[in-house]
Amino acid sequence: MALRVPSAPGFSSMLKEGAKHFHGLEEAVYRNIGACKELSQTTRSAYGPNGMNKMVINHIDKLFVTNDAATILRELEVQHPAAKMLVIATQQMEQEIGDGTNFVMVFAGALLEYAEHLLRMGLSPTEVIEGYEVALKKALELLPELSCGSLKDLTDLSEVTQAIRTPIMSKQYGNEDFLAKLVAQACISVYTKTKTFNVDNVRVAKILGSGVLSSSVIQGMVFKKIVEGDVKQVKKAKVAVYSCPVDASNTETKGTVLIKNAQELLNYSKEEENVLETQIRTVAESGVKVIISGGKVGDMALHFINKYKMMAVRLTSKFDLRRVARLVQATVLPRLIPPTEQEAGFCDQVFASEVGDTRVVIFQQDSDENAVSTVVVRGSTDNIMDDVERAVDDGVNTFKALTKDKRFVPGAGATEIELARQLASYGETIPGLAQYAIKQFASAFEALPNALAENAGVKSTEVLAKLYAAHQGGNSKIGFDIEAEGAGVKDVVEANILDAYLTKYWGIKLATNAAITVLRVDQIIMAKQAGGPKPRQGGSNDPDDD
């Protein structure tokens, strides 16, 4: 009889076969920091206007060419548990602000890198964490003092354009002025109407062909659909929105009809036609000129719609149906009945058109205040249009952040260097071992202007020396000049390179919290992977978000 081989003594012997266990500084902490540093280095080269693009092919062979950290990290499907914590922090930033994900990643990576130096010097993780928490509190106290102005009027086109120019510049360097104006127009029209701002109300329609500079804003919605009937254009139209198919209604229960001769068959068909015609005639008599259906439009129904000179549009997405109802201020009806005055909507123009070789249906309102606006993005390839869409998305999210807090801080690394300088001075005044962690926290801020300089192909040490010299002289608005030959610096407030206060506030907070969470881990216990298919990832069901 074979003897049973005893398992090694210790914690591992308590776990199921196949489980993994790591503990201590070498096995757990340094491994976690190493994984996070690697991930941070990946997105670091994509930071700023001169950031390099990454080519990512995801699990369903879809190709992404982008420098947007949120997209890169979402499609990479990171498996390492510590690195996943940083990814979760960037996702939280994406939900909270919608921009600044790369800032979180680079800063968190730098904090962990400097934490490793301290741990190797002999400090304990608890001492490092305490120092980081003190430094975070001080940094968030200093940040409001660095504010260099605020947005006075959220409905002023030139002011809003300047405000959202910087986040768009980091994705579309060279086209930032053109795109910022488009996004500002779309955001202002939506904001002026409701005095509240929902990101979902600024839509993006991507139509292949021409170039980015042919993009435009439409006060309304654009759908890549064709009109169902003969009527292709309607002005000053009353609109009815139905979530049901526009067709002959079927009975809810199954029934059998006994037909004895040809005349009865004709009468049965005729009766069905009469019922449908009555339904559509009553809708037409209520003044409706445009019917929007969430289901199919039957051939018989289409015949009567053409007869009464109405326009029919079919939208398969229930999300689009709700947005159109919001735009025309209509109520979505579940049955084919004539709408009341309160249920019917109104649209100044509904027309079929061609943009490039793509046929579209456009719902356009003539006023400058609308519930929904659409940015029509043009481009020579799908990848270019996807990248422009991300830039537009960042601009829209920055506008949303400005509706909550209108303050700005200087961009281009100016805020980071000033925080680093003041935190380093503050660290000198703190007794005990916490001062080392506070100084390293200050040094971690240098990673951001460092990344900007390296991505622009400039010596980062020269840039940092010039920035520190200017800030030491009392000019806290000096940042890195990416357009200069060599290592140049300039007044970024004069150059209108501004970051939203909330983006910096949440970026510093989330990055530090993520780094502290990673440092608090001293053991990793991994159970053996279960067999079978992986559970589905929950996400948005809106097809427009794909």
Side-chain angles (χ1 to χ4, degrees):
M1 191 176 84
L3 287 170
R4 182 179 160 276
V5 178
S7 56
F11 185 76
S12 300
S13 63
M14 301 180 211
L15 303 174
K16 263 187 176 179
E17 196 180 335
K20 293 176 187 171
H21 170 238
F22 308 101
H23 67 97
L25 276 178
E26 283 298 333
E27 277 194 354
V29 182
Y30 293 153
R31 270 189 180 199
N32 286 348
I33 291 173
C36 294
K37 274 163 52 183
E38 285 296 319
L39 188 61
S40 175
Q41 287 297 328
T42 305
T43 59
R44 182 176 165 147
S45 61
Y47 186 67
N50 291 329
M52 302 298 283
N53 284 348
K54 309 288 176 197
M55 192 179 280
V56 182
I57 299 164
N58 70 1
H59 62 292
I60 52 168
D61 273 354
K62 188 175 179 185
L63 174 70
F64 294 86
V65 181
T66 179
N67 64 354
D68 180 44
T71 307
I72 295 164
L73 295 169
R74 186 176 65 243
E75 299 305 330
L76 280 180
E77 292 185 359
V78 176
Q79 287 301 306
H80 192 283
K84 234 176 190 172
M85 287 182 196
L86 292 201
V87 175
I88 291 166
T90 62
Q91 287 169 350
Q92 192 62 40
M93 185 72 182
E94 183 72 9
Q95 286 171 17
E96 192 67 45
I97 301 293
D99 186 24
T101 45
N102 212 348
F103 175 91
V104 172
M105 203 72 206
V106 173
F107 187 47
L111 285 173
L112 288 168
E113 191 177 332
Y114 285 110
E116 187 179 2
H117 296 169
L118 293 170
L119 294 172
R120 291 194 188 278
M121 275 168 55
L123 270 73
S124 72
T126 314
E127 287 161 343
V128 176
I129 288 164
E130 278 176 13
Y132 275 8
E133 283 173 343
V134 172
L136 170 65
K137 192 179 174 188
K138 183 66 178 172
L140 296 181
E141 281 174 21
L142 291 170
L143 197 60
E145 295 169 18
L146 303 183
S147 172
C148 60
S150 64
L151 192 63
K152 291 176 182 66
D153 183 7
L154 278 165
T155 57
D156 185 304
L157 183 64
S158 62
E159 265 197 78
V160 174
T161 303
Q162 293 297 348
I164 60 178
R165 183 173 166 269
T166 309
I168 290 174
M169 187 196 271
S170 68
K171 299 278 185 297
Q172 284 289 316
Y173 185 43
N175 298 327
E176 68 274 3
D177 291 319
F178 174 74
L179 288 173
K181 193 172 181 183
L182 292 188
V183 176
Q185 284 172 351
C187 292
I188 288 168
S189 73
V190 172
Y191 179 74
T192 314
K193 175 80 177 172
T194 57
K195 290 298 174 196
T196 55
F197 188 74
N198 183 355
V199 176
D200 189 55
N201 290 339
V202 177
R203 309 302 305 159
V204 175
K206 295 177 287 188
I207 298 173
L208 199 63
S210 194
V212 174
L213 297 177
S214 300
S215 304
S216 59
V217 172
I218 285 179
Q219 304 297 342
M221 291 193 76
V222 178
F223 298 105
K224 288 194 263 187
K225 305 272 180 194
I226 55 169
V227 175
E228 297 288 323
D230 294 338
V231 180
K232 304 291 182 193
Q233 183 170 13
V234 182
K235 289 187 177 179
K236 306 288 180 198
K238 197 173 180 181
V239 182
V241 184
Y242 298 102
S243 58
C244 60
V246 178
D247 203 359
S249 56
N250 298 323
T251 54
E252 287 185 18
T253 54
K254 284 188 177 180
T256 306
V257 179
L258 188 62
I259 293 171
K260 294 176 180 172
N261 54 45
Q263 190 58 43
E264 283 184 8
L265 180 61
L266 286 170
N267 290 344
Y268 180 78
S269 300
K270 189 71 181 164
E271 186 60 34
E272 199 176 27
E273 284 177 31
N274 288 342
V275 169
L276 186 58
E277 183 174 8
T278 307
Q279 284 178 322
I280 288 170
R281 188 177 66 245
T282 53
V283 171
E285 283 170 356
S286 70
V288 170
K289 289 184 182 177
V290 179
I291 291 176
I292 302 170
S293 168
K296 67 168 187 161
V297 180
D299 291 340
M300 183 69 70
L302 201 56
H303 164 72
F304 292 123
I305 287 168
N306 288 336
K307 180 180 173 182
Y308 292 106
K309 293 188 169 45
M310 288 193 290
M311 185 182 199
V313 180
R314 181 188 172 201
L315 298 175
T316 48
S317 162
K318 65 180 179 184
F319 298 100
D320 281 344
L321 206 65
R322 288 175 198 162
R323 288 178 193 122
V324 167
R326 208 184 311 149
L327 171 69
V328 299
Q329 294 182 331
T331 305
V332 181
L333 300 171
R335 287 186 303 127
L336 192 58
I337 53 171
T340 62
E341 283 298 321
Q342 288 76 30
E343 290 168 339
F346 178 82
C347 192
D348 288 312
Q349 289 184 67
V350 184
F351 57 96
S353 180
E354 271 195 27
V355 180
D357 61 351
T358 306
R359 289 193 283 180
V360 294
V361 179
I362 298 173
F363 290 80
Q364 189 169 350
Q365 302 283 31
D366 291 340
S367 73
D368 290 335
E369 301 175 15
N370 290 299
V372 182
S373 275
T374 303
V375 178
V376 179
V377 171
R378 306 298 309 281
S380 51
T381 68
D382 286 330
N383 282 320
I384 288 173
M385 290 194 298
D386 287 344
D387 229 25
V388 173
E389 184 186 13
R390 289 182 201 110
V392 169
D393 191 45
D394 279 359
V396 171
N397 279 301
T398 302
F399 184 85
K400 187 187 177 187
L402 289 168
T403 61
K404 296 177 186 173
D405 191 323
K406 297 180 181 179
R407 285 177 291 176
F408 293 116
V409 290
T415 304
E416 287 85 350
I417 288 294
E418 187 59 24
L419 282 171
R421 188 183 70 79
Q422 293 197 30
L423 280 171
S425 306
Y426 173 69
E428 296 287 351
T429 65
I430 301 293
L433 293 170
Q435 67 167 285
Y436 293 107
I438 293 170
K439 285 180 185 172
Q440 295 292 47
F441 189 95
S443 301
F445 275 114
E446 294 173 6
L448 297 143
N450 235 331
L452 286 174
E454 284 169 11
N455 294 343
V458 179
K459 283 183 183 173
S460 56
T461 46
E462 259 184 76
V463 172
L464 283 177
K466 286 186 178 179
L467 286 172
Y468 269 122
H471 283 250
Q472 212 72 44
N475 196 341
S476 63
K477 295 171 184 173
I478 296 293
F480 172 51
D481 183 4
I482 56 168
E483 289 163 356
E485 288 289 325
V489 294
K490 66 177 176 185
D491 189 319
V492 290
V493 177
E494 274 182 23
N496 268 315
I497 302 169
L498 306 167
D499 288 334
Y501 170 81
L502 280 182
T503 308
K504 280 279 184 285
Y505 176 88
W506 282 104
I508 295 167
K509 198 171 184 178
L510 290 168
T512 311
N513 288 343
I516 287 171
T517 308
V518 172
L519 290 172
R520 280 193 199 281
V521 175
D522 75 329
Q523 278 193 333
I524 307 170
I525 303 149
M526 295 167 74
K528 188 182 177 184
Q529 289 279 312
K534 287 195 169 87
R536 274 189 69 195
Q537 294 289 319
S540 169
N541 294 320
D542 189 344
D544 288 349
D545 293 344
D546 289 343

